[in-house]
Amino acid sequence: LSLSLMCARARARRLSAPRYAMSVLSQLFRRPPPPPRGAVASYSQAGLEGNGVHQIDLLELPRDPATGARYALTVYDLATRHVAARALRTKEAGPTLAALTDIYDNDAHLQWPRRLEIDGGREFARVASEAARRGLAVRVAVPGRHSQQRGVENFNRELGKLLLKRQHAEELLTGRPARHWVADLEPSVLDIDSRWAREPPPAPHAFALAQFLEARELAAGTPVRVRLDRPRDTATGRPLPGPFRATDPKWEFRRLPGKLEEAPRRVEGVVYKPGQSARYRITGIPNATFARWQLQVIQPGEQLPPASILRP
């Protein structure tokens, strides 16, 4: 028994040796740190004005039997949190632009903003063209990075919850499927708008010293890995369905085509915004910035697993 314990302890010491702790594999599975309190970017602290930045998206819903609508175009003002929505039968670019124009022509609070934030779907192609014609800035979200559209996606969740709860309530009383929702869209949007809308807070006048200290942690050219927003296949890099599991890597491993070794991303620069933590620009990701806690510095001496583990 004592000999077995001694062998087990020796094996554990070998597995916990520094060369294993500094391997690429152990770094990929390292649990990401939680964001520091107040580190999540908040547009309420950026001094935006109403109709400064809008996020737009499409919410997919059951087909309404009365109108044939399957989607709702949703709009969210980042500063005032005013919201609006219109029902759509299809997600084609033409009807999407027409619905957005109808919102800006008739809504009491929302009009064409200085910047639109959209995703890269084809349904927003004509919206982007119209914004460019009007001289507006357009930000297209990086695929899979849901935090860039956080505001409008929160609106989508709240709106979908209200509409589907109404359907479930009807089904409980009748025992028959309920798919109508267009008639409930406007009352639901007004309810959310009345609870969420606020006056935009004033802009801060100075940066906090902590932001400068944080920005100095990573210099330009530092090799880093990016925290993954969703699980990905290690071999192909393709997104996997569902939430993170204990067996999923938490950090990106980037390869060049036809290569096996890692091609790390690097810090390009730092973005400062009043009232927000410093954000880092990373090579190869032009439409997004990252906080310090979303990056893992690649340490010198990290090694890939040994070739001896490969099966013949």
Side-chain angles (χ1 to χ4, degrees), residues 1 27 34 39 92 98 113 127 153 210 264 267 272 278 280 287 301:
L1 179 61
Q27 294 293 86
E92 296 178 357
V127 171
E153 290 194 357
V267 174
Y272 299 98
Y280 295 91
N287 298 330

Side-chain angles (χ1 to χ4, degrees), residues 79-102:
T80 64
R81 295 181 183 172
H82 281 299
V83 294
R86 291 292 187 275
L88 290 171
R89 290 187 176 185
T90 68
K91 55 187 301 186
E92 296 178 357
T96 300
L97 175 59
L100 184 64
T101 303
D102 180 64

Side-chain angles (χ1 to χ4, degrees), residues 280-294:
Y280 295 91
R281 294 197 307 270
I282 306 301
T283 56
I285 309 179
N287 298 330
T289 58
F290 297 84
R292 176 63 184 87
W293 54 273
Q294 294 173 312

Side-chain angles (χ1 to χ4, degrees), residues 203-256:
H205 298 289
F207 291 108
L209 177 60
Q211 296 171 354
F212 287 100
L213 296 177
E214 180 188 12
R216 292 173 183 171
E217 290 183 12
L218 298 183
T222 303
V224 294
R225 298 186 184 97
V226 175
R227 177 178 179 175
L228 295 176
D229 289 324
R230 58 189 301 184
R232 290 185 177 272
D233 185 270
T234 302
T236 63
R238 295 176 180 174
L240 299 175
F244 279 100
R245 298 168 287 270
T247 55
D248 292 324
K250 309 303 188 295
W251 301 91
E252 178 192 45
F253 183 82
R254 179 170 174 258
R255 288 192 181 101
L256 292 177

Side-chain angles (χ1 to χ4, degrees), residues 16 18 23 33 49 52 67-68 72 78 82 98 102 111 128 130 183 190 259 264 268 284 291 294 297 301 310:
S16 61
S23 69
E49 298 178 352
T67 64
L78 292 178
H82 281 299
D102 180 64
Q111 55 185 340
E130 177 66 15
L190 292 176
K259 302 290 185 179
E268 283 188 334
Q294 294 173 312
V297 176
L310 296 176

Side-chain angles (χ1 to χ4, degrees), residues 168-187:
H168 291 318
E170 185 175 342
E171 291 173 349
L172 287 174
L173 295 176
T174 64
R176 297 189 301 270
R179 296 295 182 265
H180 295 81
W181 59 268
V182 173
D184 302 320
L185 181 62
E186 184 177 358

